[in-house]
Amino acid sequence: MSSYAWQGIFHHSVFQIFGTFAVLFWACIPIRGFINGSEKKLPLDGWYPYDVNNNLAFILTWTHQGVAIVLCCINDLATDSFITGLINVASCQFELLKWNFAALGNNLDEQNLMINLKENCNNNNNNNKINKKLHECIKHNLAIFDFIKEIQNIFSTVIGLQLFVSCFIICLSIFYLSQLTTFNPAEIIGNGAYILCMTYQIFIYTWQGNELYLQNEALAGAIYMGSWWKLDSRFRRNLHIIMLRTQKPLILTTKFLITLTIPTFMSIIQTSYSMFTLLHRKNL
């Protein structure tokens, strides 16, 4: 659980760093014009009931817009981190379920078990305990599936739209940087950080979805590595049914039939590059 918690913190921190760098440098673009004494241009266009060309008014307005941009960025990125965090929780629950399945039958005494088998006797206490633990594991597994289904029903449309928008943003941002005619460090670093932020946004969605797929696939292996051979045929049959269920891939899919997997991430990046190449050729 600590490992998955730290994974979530790491992804959220990196995502926030990229986003904060992007908006901070974007907000700092007007400073160059202010220092050079040229046209004063705010990060965001807007109407104000005072003259923003006044130095003091410009500084106060720029500070207000800069703080607002950073706060909006933090809030926006927190929403994506929240959705991916829910997927991370589901993966963590699969990890706990794997340990619980693997622990079934570990507390049985092998010598007594062989005596019981030879005498055709059943240890009711052991059977009741194992049956209770197996029932809890099955309920846990079904609860995870319900949780994942609820995530998909609520957020699939949002995730699909976000992936489409991020693909276009990456393409247009790279194209914008390629068309710059003057060297402006703040603009270059800001747009570069923005591209990294959008790329990382796609990555954490697809990475978390891919981790969920791998956890479900590894559940059968965890059951097989347990002490299933100590159990009677009824319990082994139930475990076999659960193992068969894991053969059906658990893949998160958006409303636009986009799967959250690592190959999808590579496809989106390739699509963005193809769009950039097309725009660049048209511009030439």
Side-chain angles (χ1 to χ4, degrees):
M1 291 179 67
S2 298
S3 173
Y4 278 91
W6 280 111
Q7 284 182 28
I9 293 172
F10 172 79
H11 287 301
H12 176 68
S13 300
V14 174
F15 195 26
Q16 288 284 8
I17 289 171
F18 284 148
T20 304
F21 261 91
V23 296
L24 279 178
F25 278 97
W26 180 41
C28 291
I29 292 175
I31 294 181
R32 182 179 182 183
F34 176 74
I35 295 175
N36 295 336
S38 57
E39 180 185 3
K40 297 182 177 67
K41 184 174 177 60
L42 294 168
L44 300 173
D45 294 329
W47 178 87
Y48 293 91
Y50 53 83
D51 185 13
V52 294
N53 291 320
N54 180 274
N55 289 341
L56 180 60
F58 178 80
I59 293 174
L60 292 175
T61 307
W62 173 84
T63 303
H64 171 262
Q65 287 195 2
V67 172
I69 290 170
V70 172
L71 291 178
C72 287
C73 171
I74 293 173
N75 180 68
D76 184 40
L77 300 185
T79 303
D80 292 309
S81 297
F82 171 71
I83 299 174
T84 56
L86 293 177
I87 304 174
N88 184 53
V89 169
S91 298
C92 180
Q93 291 300 314
F94 264 121
E95 186 69 25
L96 295 175
L97 182 63
K98 284 160 55 180
W99 280 92
N100 291 334
F101 269 123
L104 288 174
N106 285 345
N107 59 345
L108 292 179
D109 188 348
E110 295 182 25
Q111 185 176 0
N112 292 336
L113 181 65
M114 295 303 296
I115 295 173
N116 289 335
L117 290 175
K118 289 179 180 179
E119 296 177 355
N120 293 323
C121 297
N122 291 321
N123 191 326
N124 292 328
N125 290 331
N126 282 336
N127 283 344
N128 290 335
K129 289 180 180 179
I130 297 173
N131 187 48
K132 183 179 180 181
K133 290 181 179 179
L134 180 59
H135 184 65
E136 290 175 353
C137 289
I138 294 173
K139 287 178 64 178
H140 189 189
N141 195 12
L142 293 175
I144 296 173
F145 287 141
D146 291 338
F147 180 63
I148 295 170
K149 184 178 180 181
E150 189 171 2
I151 293 174
Q152 184 161 314
N153 290 337
I154 296 174
F155 299 111
S156 61
T157 303
V158 175
I159 295 173
L161 290 173
Q162 186 62 65
L163 294 179
F164 272 119
V165 171
S166 297
C167 178
F168 282 106
I169 288 176
I170 292 171
C171 169
L172 295 177
S173 297
I174 296 175
F175 180 74
Y176 175 76
L177 284 177
S178 67
Q179 301 302 308
L180 289 177
T181 56
T182 58
F183 179 72
N184 189 340
E187 192 166 7
I188 293 174
I189 296 175
N191 279 280
Y194 189 50
I195 293 171
L196 289 175
C197 182
M198 291 294 99
T199 304
Y200 201 80
Q201 181 187 53
I202 299 172
F203 173 74
I204 59 174
Y205 274 116
T206 54
W207 189 86
Q208 293 289 5
N210 195 75
E211 180 70 13
L212 190 64
Y213 162 75
L214 294 176
Q215 284 290 352
N216 178 69
E217 192 177 53
L219 185 59
I223 295 174
Y224 186 76
M225 295 300 292
S227 301
W228 54 268
W229 52 271
K230 296 181 181 180
L231 308 177
D232 61 28
S233 59
R234 180 166 59 92
F235 293 113
R236 291 200 297 268
R237 185 169 58 252
N238 291 335
L239 290 175
H240 185 245
I241 293 173
I242 297 172
M243 293 174 69
L244 289 176
R245 172 62 181 81
T246 62
Q247 300 306 308
K248 180 181 179 182
L250 181 60
I251 301 177
L252 285 176
T253 308
T254 68
K255 290 291 186 181
F256 307 98
L257 301 180
I258 301 176
T259 59
L260 299 185
T261 57
I262 294 299
T264 300
F265 171 74
M266 301 304 299
S267 298
I268 293 175
I269 298 302
Q270 291 174 358
T271 302
S272 299
Y273 179 75
S274 299
M275 293 169 59
F276 163 73
T277 304
L278 179 62
L279 288 174
H280 188 67
R281 289 178 178 176
K282 291 289 184 180
N283 190 60
L284 294 176

